[in-house]
Amino acid sequence: MEQRFLSLADVTEILQITMSQARALVRTGELRGIQIGGKGVWRVENSELEAYIERMYARTAERLHTGEPDQ
């Protein structure tokens, strides 16, 4: 059975980003996550990560289509 939730460490590995970048994504709501337990450990549902990736593909395609410069 596939895990439903990922840790931020899992997210960093999948997206190849830093932990601070992953924390920023969930804190801003750009990547939906939940905090669990007394220490507020972040978890991201697999489906939310996939939705985020799809949004980034769409955003990139739009930027390329309109000729916006790389960010």
Side-chain angles (χ1 to χ4, degrees), residues 7-71:
S7 67
L8 286 190
D10 295 330
V11 171
T12 64
E13 187 175 321
I14 292 166
L15 296 179
Q16 298 182 2
I17 60 175
T18 67
M19 184 61 77
S20 61
Q21 289 171 316
R23 283 192 186 105
L25 288 174
V26 295
R27 285 188 179 136
T28 63
E30 192 169 352
L31 173 60
R32 288 184 56 192
I34 58 173
Q35 285 189 294
I36 299 176
K39 294 185 179 185
V41 176
W42 284 101
R43 292 291 181 259
V44 175
E45 197 165 0
N46 280 317
S47 61
E48 292 296 336
L49 180 58
E50 290 302 320
Y52 169 77
I53 292 168
E54 288 302 317
R55 286 192 307 275
M56 293 303 100
Y57 273 122
R59 189 178 296 173
T60 300
E62 179 62 26
R63 194 178 73 238
L64 293 173
H65 178 72
T66 60
E68 288 182 38
D70 291 344
Q71 296 179 2

